[in-house]
Amino acid sequence: MTITNLPPSLISTLSGEYYTDPGIFALEQERVFEAMWFCVARASELAGPGRFRTCQVGRESVLVCRSRDGSVRAFLNVCRHRGAKLCLEESGEVKRAFQCPYHAWTYGLDGRLVAAPNLTSMPDIDRSEYGLVNVHVREWLGYVWVCLADAPPSFEDEVMGAVVERLGDTESIENYGIEGLRVGRRVTYDVRANWKLIIENFMECYHCATIHPELTEVLPEFADGYAAQYYVGHGAEFGEEVKGFTVDGGEGLDRLPGVGEEQDRRYYAITVKPQVFVNLVPDHVIFHRMYPMAHDRTVVECDWLYLPHVVEGGQDVERSVELFHRVNRQDFDACERTQPGMTSRAYAKGGVLVPSEHHIGAFHTWLQDRLGAAPAH
């Protein structure tokens, strides 16, 4: 149910129940998060064999690790014996294998069952068949992406294609050498809002003049309300007096060597559905990953990535980090202010989008197509 008979300048949004109904969220878990490529970790977190990380993807806990052959493997974090959670820690390292804390079934880094109490007396057990359940995995831009679908969609079409749709090609993002950068800072935000409110906020800049004074000082065109994502290949230009993408507009750090003159002094934002935001500036990259935990709660992990010598040499990144940290807090505060309104009778039919937000309507159409149908109310 949406608002009808709108003037041509406005289009309707999703109705409030899309942000508040646990049943819709369950459908999103099944048809969005568990069906698409989902970014879960920085590859450098899995630096050597046995290093692992667990993360929530839809309704599943997923275990990703570096195997002995150097590849990244991903599995459902569930013991095949009685279904206990295999790894309870968010991250860590094992020497040779993962052992279930319940009955000590033990799995190699390749997921194969390697040991269990009395296993030798059960020679009919196929150790591969009763190994951990594999999850499809890819590495790109220095991050690990997984897909729970039996037959995953094309990574090139869905993930890399989102970059092409925004920038016009993949070469433009490859110029930043993201896979070779280092994490200079990571901040995790626990946001009391639906994941779609966060995506919608990131996609538009109609709010920028209102809540982002520091950002609009650095990127003056954002004060006009049009987000950089509105135009293919467009990067918002720094203000004339601005020297770097910092909280005070002062000097930044060393420019990434692959960034050409045409990308210098510009900011590019990319949304990779369903849960990644990439922000490109000349001297660093800001990479957000969303983990939707409930219909009204989303955990956002944000990495600030710099050249190795900047991080390893202990250069001061505070003014650089502080700009987008403030933007994040301002955005997430706005989303948390919006979430309660989704339950109001005033929003039962949804709200409206102004012309500079019309591209959000395409996101809403995409979501409804993924879910198969609008709620029957």
Side-chain angles (χ1 to χ4, degrees), residues 15 19 24 31-32 37 46 55 74 78 105 122 145 195 197 205 220-221 234 280 284 317 320 355 360 370:
S15 55
Y19 306 86
I24 294 176
R31 299 186 183 179
V32 179
W37 287 100
L46 311 172
C55 53
V78 176
W105 277 41
M122 298 176 277
W145 310 68
W195 68 282
L197 292 177
C205 213
E221 71 179 69
H234 176 72
L280 307 170
H284 65 283
V317 299
S320 171
I360 296 174
R370 296 284 318 186

Side-chain angles (χ1 to χ4, degrees), residues 52-56 61-63 77-79 83-92 94 98-102:
F52 71 87
R53 177 157 182 187
T54 60
C55 53
Q56 193 71 21
S61 175
V62 174
L63 167 65
N77 187 22
V78 176
C79 179
K85 197 170 193 177
L86 186 63
C87 284
L88 302 178
E89 302 87 355
E90 182 178 301
S91 62
V94 295
F98 297 100
Q99 186 174 85
C100 178
Y102 193 3

Side-chain angles (χ1 to χ4, degrees), residues 57-363:
V57 181
R59 297 162 296 182
E60 297 282 2
S61 175
V62 174
L63 167 65
V64 293
C65 74
R66 184 75 65 179
S67 65
R68 297 208 175 280
D69 65 5
S71 65
V72 174
R73 302 293 299 268
F75 314 98
L76 297 184
N77 187 22
V78 176
C79 179
R80 296 297 306 281
H81 172 222
R82 295 273 296 281
K85 197 170 193 177
L86 186 63
C87 284
L88 302 178
E89 302 87 355
E90 182 178 301
S91 62
E93 184 174 2
V94 295
K95 289 185 178 179
R96 296 181 180 84
F98 297 100
Q99 186 174 85
C100 178
Y102 193 3
H103 294 96
W105 277 41
T106 305
Y107 304 89
L109 301 182
D110 60 359
R112 188 171 182 268
L113 178 65
V114 296
N118 305 317
L119 184 61
T120 54
S121 65
M122 298 176 277
D124 57 329
I125 292 182
D126 184 323
R127 297 191 182 203
S128 296
E129 179 67 23
Y130 286 89
L132 298 176
V133 175
N134 281 284
V135 171
H136 299 282
V137 63
R138 289 284 299 264
E139 287 187 68
W140 191 52
L141 302 179
Y143 281 86
V144 177
W145 310 68
V146 302
C147 183
L148 273 58
D150 291 337
S154 166
F155 188 87
E156 288 72 20
D157 290 347
E158 286 211 348
V159 177
M160 300 174 75
V163 173
V164 173
E165 183 179 343
R166 169 67 187 92
L167 298 181
D169 52 48
T170 57
E171 289 76 12
S172 294
I173 198 168
E174 289 164 358
N175 291 346
Y176 292 80
I178 299 175
E179 66 283 348
L181 303 182
R182 299 287 186 273
V183 178
R185 183 68 52 83
R186 172 173 291 171
V187 179
T188 301
Y189 307 86
D190 199 329
V191 187
R192 295 290 173 175
N194 185 274
W195 68 282
K196 295 184 293 297
L197 292 177
I198 298 173
I199 281 193
E200 293 159 11
N201 174 279
F202 185 75
M203 291 177 71
E204 55 91 359
C205 213
Y206 191 46
H207 67 277
C208 287
T210 308
I211 70 172
H212 294 321
E214 300 89 354
L215 185 63
T216 53
E217 280 291 320
V218 173
L219 304 174
E221 71 179 69
F222 275 13
D224 296 330
Y226 280 90
Q229 293 186 76
Y230 198 83
Y231 308 102
V232 175
H234 176 72
E237 192 170 1
F238 292 5
E240 288 186 11
E241 304 301 318
V242 170
K243 296 180 179 178
F245 198 75
T246 58
V247 70
D248 57 6
E251 288 285 353
L253 298 152
D254 293 348
R255 190 168 91 184
L256 306 180
V259 173
E261 291 298 324
E262 72 283 358
Q263 292 174 308
D264 193 20
R265 295 182 53 79
R266 289 185 179 273
Y267 162 84
Y268 299 85
I270 306 161
T271 301
V272 183
K273 297 188 292 287
Q275 45 85 246
V276 169
F277 308 142
V278 187
N279 308 272
L280 307 170
V281 292
D283 64 339
H284 65 283
V285 171
I286 308 159
F287 201 103
H288 296 69
R289 299 190 304 281
M290 292 196 305
Y291 298 91
M293 306 302 289
H295 68 276
D296 59 355
R297 178 179 175 231
T298 308
V299 173
V300 183
E301 194 167 83
C302 184
D303 291 342
W304 280 260
L305 306 170
Y306 300 89
L307 288 168
H309 73 263
V310 170
V311 176
E312 294 160 8
Q315 293 189 35
D316 187 2
V317 299
E318 287 301 319
R319 289 163 46 255
S320 171
V321 170
E322 182 61 23
L323 174 57
F324 226 86
H325 178 49
R326 289 192 192 183
V327 170
N328 283 338
R329 287 186 300 178
Q330 292 156 353
D331 280 338
F332 300 154
D333 285 349
C335 293
E336 290 183 339
R337 285 198 301 272
T338 303
Q339 182 65 35
M342 299 296 97
T343 63
S344 170
R345 67 190 68 185
Y347 213 79
K349 294 183 179 181
V352 295
L353 299 168
V354 302
S356 64
E357 302 172 302
H358 276 194
H359 58 301
I360 296 174
F363 167 64

Side-chain angles (χ1 to χ4, degrees), residues 24-33 195-196 367 371:
I24 294 176
F25 181 71
L27 200 60
E28 291 171 340
Q29 288 179 306
E30 174 190 347
R31 299 186 183 179
V32 179
F33 314 132
W195 68 282
K196 295 184 293 297
L367 179 73
L371 300 186

